[in-house]
Amino acid sequence: MSEKYASQQDLESKGQKDAYKDGSSTPTMSKVTAVTSTTDLFEDGTVDPIYQAKARVLNAAIQEIGMGKYQWWLFSVAGFGWFADSVWPLLGGLILSPAVNEFHFNGPFLSLALNIGLFVGAVFWGLGCDIWGRRWSFNITLFLAGAFGLAAGGSPDFITLASLLAVLGVGVGGNLPVDSAVFLDFVPGSHQYLLTILSIWWSVGQLVASFIAWPLIANFSCAQGSTTCSRAENMGWRYLLFTLGGMTLLLWAVRFFVFPLFESPRYLVGRGRDAEAVDVVRRIAEFNGRTTTLTLSHLEAAAASVNAQEKAGEERHVLSQSSAFTMDHIKALFATPKLAWSTGLVIFLWGIIGLASTLYNSFLPYLLASRGAKFGDSSYYTTYRNQVILGVIGVPGAFLAGWAVEQPYIGRKGTLAISAGLTGVFLFASTTARSSNALLGWNCGYAFHSNIMYGVLYALSPEVFPAKDRGTGNGLTATATRIFGIIAPVIALYANLETAVPVYVSGALIIGAGLIALLLPYEPRGKASI
């Protein structure tokens, strides 16, 4: 077993063998192979060889500790980021009709303001967490969302509302790029599929936001289409902001005061802070009630085994230099043709799916109401009841996605392609609806399959980026989808939303994305991320 571990992880060098000759060390670390594949995703030469050697040792150490209390806590608190990323972008659509009734503005401008904030947040926090670390980003993003969401409920006019939602978006935009990197950095390779199941929080966010909006907006809003609408008559959307803002602050408090988030050991190794990385692994083991055999000498030996293969006299700069505020993290994601192709395709996928989904989702409540009006059932009650139904339908999709990505011959790429294709089909089918119930039925199919699609996309993206550059990669993908998120309401300003054109465009783009997913060069199923 120890020979298998060594051969797969390039630990067979003399320096590595010597480092593991410390009694029980060798057999304990070798237990990794009994649990999961020890083959990592990247072939030699794709990432910095010293980092790769050390990351393999860290993978073995985290696998040795196993999936314990710390990781399950992290599953919950990282899930808060998925929850926020679902709730707040959806909120722009949930409050659109009553806010327009009160402030009399052109509806797409509200979505535009929020998406500009999401774009800034994706760039700032995504790239930043590879520079100053994961911990502060992990906590600050959720606090910004809660604080400014709460404040937005008191907005006296549209400019204030749009400005506060834009700042809120800066926080929300960083949630998924940072939180997915944090979770993947701590979870054993045998449980990486849980990153897909984390999308259950995204589905729960949709359900909770819609469920709260249903009674509040249905009972505390001006009548749709009313010419005059005072603040006192239209408090529903404000109550919704107060409730969701307070809920987000509560989730932040759990993160900040209850859960002891350690800095990512992979980030620390990427900065050359090996001793701190070893200490973090030891503290995780203690939290889980277990022990670890990892020592600093193991990481030093991993580096020595690489240096021994370098030409004599060649001086090698290590990874800590790549964490300055330079383009190094971006360049690293395009270091080889295969990695560049992978990075480019993932960014492109996020962009076109972001355009399609934002264009459709941002105006789904309006679409349901306007089409319902033709059938005589366009009340707020019916509209937001339907939103709750769509939220419920999305929940089981996360579990199906978590199962599908681990199936042979399907994996991440196959699941993404199939779910994206079916999502597009249901969007096309929705144009045939001749009653609001029929439209709701087609949208249920869309909600179910799109939650699978997003669950896989949220998991696959960080998996195909090396950990030392993962925040940057996540930031680039999030930036792509946020850019198109900005473009979508601009399109809506000049498009006729009473036609099926946005649906045809969205459906075609998502089906195309499913086909493109099959071209991805890396399949993370059965391989450990480094």
Side-chain angles (χ1 to χ4, degrees):
M1 185 177 294
S2 60
E3 287 78 16
K4 178 182 177 184
Y5 177 79
S7 64
Q8 289 187 342
Q9 298 291 45
D10 290 344
L11 298 180
E12 69 274 27
S13 65
K14 181 180 184 299
Q16 278 287 15
K17 287 179 179 178
D18 291 343
Y20 280 76
K21 290 177 181 176
D22 58 353
S24 62
S25 261
T26 303
T28 306
M29 294 296 282
S30 298
K31 289 179 183 177
V32 174
T33 53
V35 185
T36 185
S37 168
T38 54
T39 304
D40 62 58
L41 187 63
F42 303 109
E43 60 275 4
D44 291 342
T46 302
V47 299
D48 185 287
I50 292 181
Y51 170 78
Q52 189 171 32
K54 291 181 178 181
R56 286 168 172 169
V57 174
L58 284 178
N59 278 353
I62 293 174
Q63 187 66 56
E64 176 195 22
I65 295 169
M67 189 73 186
K69 184 169 63 173
Y70 187 85
Q71 285 83 3
W72 288 116
W73 259 101
L74 190 59
F75 182 87
S76 297
V77 296
F80 298 165
W82 268 254
F83 180 90
D85 187 79
S86 171
V87 163
W88 292 108
L90 177 64
L91 182 119
L94 293 176
I95 69 171
L96 183 61
S97 291
V100 167
N101 271 355
E102 183 175 339
F103 293 143
H104 306 291
F105 60 90
N106 202 339
F109 280 114
L110 188 64
S111 178
L112 181 61
L114 180 57
N115 276 286
I116 289 173
L118 292 170
F119 164 72
V120 173
V123 175
F124 182 77
W125 298 110
L127 276 63
C129 76
D130 279 339
I131 297 168
W132 53 69
R134 319 283 204 235
R135 287 183 65 195
W136 285 108
S137 302
F138 187 75
N139 286 307
I140 293 173
T141 51
L142 206 60
F143 176 79
L144 286 177
F148 284 91
L150 200 62
S155 300
D157 51 46
F158 167 69
I159 297 298
T160 305
L161 175 63
S163 300
L164 290 172
L165 288 185
V167 180
L168 175 154
V170 173
V172 174
N175 275 312
L176 284 184
V178 175
D179 297 0
S180 59
V182 167
F183 184 75
L184 199 55
D185 283 354
F186 286 101
V187 74
S190 59
H191 288 73
Q192 281 182 198
Y193 69 91
L194 288 174
L195 188 60
T196 302
I197 298 180
L198 263 175
S199 64
I200 186 67
W201 286 96
W202 203 81
S203 303
V204 169
Q206 286 186 310
L207 176 59
V208 168
S210 300
F211 192 77
I212 296 173
W214 181 11
L216 291 180
I217 293 182
N219 296 309
F220 300 97
S221 298
C222 299
Q224 287 178 281
S226 56
T227 55
T228 60
C229 181
S230 67
R231 173 170 177 159
E233 298 172 308
N234 200 45
M235 288 296 292
W237 67 270
R238 297 177 187 276
Y239 293 151
L240 179 61
L241 279 166
F242 292 146
T243 304
L244 295 177
M247 188 179 299
T248 305
L249 281 178
L250 179 62
L251 297 179
W252 165 79
V254 173
R255 270 191 180 185
F256 192 77
F257 295 109
V258 179
F259 178 70
L261 179 69
F262 307 130
E263 187 53 85
S264 161
R266 290 190 177 105
Y267 164 78
L268 292 171
V269 162
R271 292 295 305 269
R273 293 154 59 180
D274 293 357
E276 294 177 58
V278 171
D279 183 60
V280 167
V281 173
R282 179 188 59 77
R283 292 163 71 186
I284 295 171
E286 289 179 356
F287 195 96
N288 287 353
R290 299 173 187 173
T291 58
T292 177
T293 56
L294 180 69
T295 65
L296 181 59
S297 63
H298 294 147
L299 295 178
E300 291 173 344
S305 68
V306 175
N307 285 329
Q309 299 172 24
E310 299 285 330
K311 292 181 179 179
E314 273 192 5
E315 184 181 357
R316 196 175 160 74
H317 295 292
V318 241
L319 303 168
S320 55
Q321 291 194 354
S322 70
S323 289
F325 194 75
T326 68
M327 293 290 289
D328 289 351
H329 286 292
I330 296 177
K331 291 178 181 177
L333 296 172
F334 297 87
T336 67
K338 185 175 180 180
L339 187 59
W341 176 245
S342 174
T343 302
L345 279 185
V346 171
I347 292 173
F348 185 68
L349 280 172
W350 272 101
I352 58 177
I353 289 178
L355 173 60
S357 298
T358 304
L359 183 61
Y360 189 74
N361 283 335
S362 294
F363 304 98
L364 180 58
Y366 176 84
L367 182 64
L368 289 172
S370 62
R371 294 211 165 183
K374 296 179 181 179
F375 310 122
D377 53 358
S378 62
S379 67
Y380 277 136
Y381 180 90
T382 302
T383 298
Y384 289 92
R385 179 209 64 187
N386 292 351
Q387 281 292 119
V388 170
I389 293 172
L390 294 177
V392 172
I393 291 295
V395 171
F399 295 103
L400 180 59
W403 171 83
V405 296
E406 289 297 299
Q407 300 310 302
Y409 310 111
I410 299 178
R412 272 68 159 169
K413 294 195 297 182
T415 305
L416 179 58
I418 294 169
S419 58
L422 290 172
T423 299
V425 166
F426 276 99
L427 284 186
F428 279 125
S430 68
T431 63
T432 66
R434 293 299 176 262
S435 69
S436 61
N437 285 337
L439 181 61
L440 175 63
W442 293 123
N443 280 325
C444 284
Y446 162 78
F448 179 77
H449 292 100
S450 66
N451 273 275
I452 297 175
M453 176 184 71
Y454 269 112
V456 179
L457 196 58
Y458 283 141
L460 182 145
S461 300
E463 283 184 307
V464 298
F465 298 132
K468 73 183 184 69
D469 310 303
R470 185 169 291 143
T472 300
N474 288 346
L476 292 177
T477 58
T479 297
T481 197
R482 300 311 183 190
I483 287 175
F484 284 104
I486 292 172
I487 293 173
V490 174
I491 293 174
L493 286 168
Y494 300 98
N496 181 7
L497 291 178
E498 295 182 359
T499 73
V501 172
V503 182
Y504 287 131
V505 172
S506 298
L509 288 173
I510 291 178
I511 290 175
L515 297 175
I516 292 171
L518 296 174
L519 302 177
L520 289 168
Y522 292 113
E523 171 53 68
R525 190 190 73 82
K527 296 179 181 178
S529 177
I530 63 166

